[in-house]
Amino acid sequence: MATRRAFALPQVLLMAGALVAPVVFSQTVPPPGVGAARPPTERTLQPVDRSQTRERVRTSRDCKHEGAEIRGQYRIQQDSVQSQYAPRIASASAAEREALLRERDAKLAELAREADFAAKQLGDRCRADNAATLRGSSNPADRP
């Protein structure tokens, strides 16, 4: 009888362990998506060496320079409009001159608005690209 009891105890423990094991192991693996929601910890942060930092800075773009370039392109168009209207304004009578001046000024104002809008869009896109390039973490869970 003592042998039977000694043999039954390990079987009971084994059965209890088999029943409890799935519950215990299910708690150690987080559900999908939880890893992305957690803030970065020291374990998830990857060390960055100087060469990686230099490479990221080297590949970033100068947003102010790009905005100035696009404004320069629109300035060329504005100069073209002025050069087209100059001989016509010089040879026009007083009434025609006023109408040509208003027409020229309206075109110049429209080009200035387009230049501001294009420079703003280009600057926003450039800053977003730089932010993505300069982001320090290589862990995809740390990215927004």
Side-chain angles (χ1 to χ4, degrees), residues 107-123:
K107 286 186 178 182
L108 291 176
E110 178 64 28
L111 284 171
R113 280 192 299 274
E114 288 177 8
D116 291 341
F117 181 72
K120 182 182 181 315
Q121 276 190 327
L122 186 66

Side-chain angles (χ1 to χ4, degrees), residues 7-18:
F7 184 67
L9 184 62
Q11 281 183 340
V12 169
L13 290 177
L14 186 62
M15 289 296 284

Side-chain angles (χ1 to χ4, degrees), residues 78 81 84-85 102-112:
Q78 288 173 335
V81 167
Q84 289 172 3
Y85 276 90
R102 280 194 302 270
E103 187 179 331
R104 180 197 69 186
D105 291 343
K107 286 186 178 182
L108 291 176
E110 178 64 28
L111 284 171

Side-chain angles (χ1 to χ4, degrees), residues 43-126:
R43 188 171 41 103
T44 60
L45 295 176
Q46 302 293 323
V48 178
D49 63 352
R50 288 181 188 217
S51 65
Q52 289 174 330
T53 304
R54 276 190 225 113
E55 182 64 26
R56 273 193 237 115
V57 170
R58 190 175 63 80
T59 57
S60 67
R61 299 175 359 210
D62 184 8
C63 299
K64 287 184 180 180
H65 179 70
E66 289 187 13
E69 281 182 2
I70 195 77
R71 287 180 199 273
Q73 292 174 5
Y74 276 95
R75 196 169 302 115
I76 291 170
Q77 291 179 9
Q78 288 173 335
D79 292 343
S80 173
V81 167
Q82 285 190 359
S83 66
Q84 289 172 3
Y85 276 90
R88 290 169 52 191
I89 291 173
S91 65
S93 65
E96 292 175 351
R97 180 176 293 135
E98 291 299 320
L100 285 173
L101 284 174
R102 280 194 302 270
E103 187 179 331
R104 180 197 69 186
D105 291 343
K107 286 186 178 182
L108 291 176
E110 178 64 28
L111 284 171
R113 280 192 299 274
E114 288 177 8
D116 291 341
F117 181 72
K120 182 182 181 315
Q121 276 190 327
L122 186 66
D124 292 345
R125 215 172 316 133
C126 178

